[in-house]
């Protein structure tokens, strides 16, 4: 969909983006805004990533898992992947303390 480069500069993370699908849009709010750099304090970026990953694991992944099982994926494999995601999330939460 695009190109994204993450650059750490001290306690600031610079996200350089090139959102190629928006390059030729005629949508007024995106004209000229398809590439650039966003600078965010590292701590804020990490907190946002952790918040989004928690939401994904708790709300979205179970729905995806159900759909994958309905499409023929083995339930045990999907359940193991969900369990791994939850364990990784708990490990990160624990290391934050």
């Amino acid at each position: 969909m695009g190109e994204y480069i993450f650059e750490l500069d001290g306690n600031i993370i610079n996200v350089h983006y090139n959102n190629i699908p928006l390059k030729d849009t005629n949508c007024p709010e995106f004209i000229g805004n398809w590439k650039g750099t966003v600078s965010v304090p590292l701590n804020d970026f990490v907190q946002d990533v952790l918040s989004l990953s928690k939401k994904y694991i708790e709300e979205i992944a179970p729905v995806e898992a159900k759909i994958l099982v309905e499409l023929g994926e083995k339930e045990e494999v999907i359940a193991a992947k969900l369990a791994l995601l939850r364990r990784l999330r708990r490990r990160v939460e624990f290391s934050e303390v």
Side-chain angles (χ1 to χ4, degrees):
M1 295 298 275
E3 299 167 346
Y4 306 91
I5 298 171
F6 296 84
E7 170 194 24
L8 185 60
D9 183 13
N11 287 325
I12 300 293
I13 189 156
N14 297 310
V15 182
H16 307 281
Y17 64 93
N18 185 355
N19 199 338
I20 297 165
L22 293 177
K23 182 178 180 181
D24 297 319
T25 186
N26 60 0
C27 196
E29 60 265 22
F30 294 114
I31 293 175
N33 295 323
W34 59 277
K35 70 177 185 173
T37 300
V38 176
S39 299
V40 182
L42 180 60
N43 190 52
D44 293 351
F45 179 81
V46 170
Q47 291 301 320
D48 285 348
V49 168
L50 293 174
S51 174
L52 289 170
S53 66
K54 181 177 183 180
K55 182 176 177 124
Y56 172 78
I57 291 167
E58 292 176 355
E59 298 176 23
I60 298 167
V63 174
E64 287 180 343
K66 183 179 178 184
I67 292 168
L68 288 171
V69 169
E70 289 172 0
L71 292 173
E73 294 286 331
K74 293 185 178 180
E75 192 167 349
E76 311 81 53
V77 173
I78 300 300
K81 289 179 180 178
L82 279 174
L84 174 62
L85 286 174
R86 290 183 178 112
R87 281 195 314 272
L88 291 171
R89 174 72 184 143
R90 281 193 301 273
R91 182 180 291 176
V92 170
E93 285 177 335
F94 180 74
S95 68
E96 287 184 288
V97 178

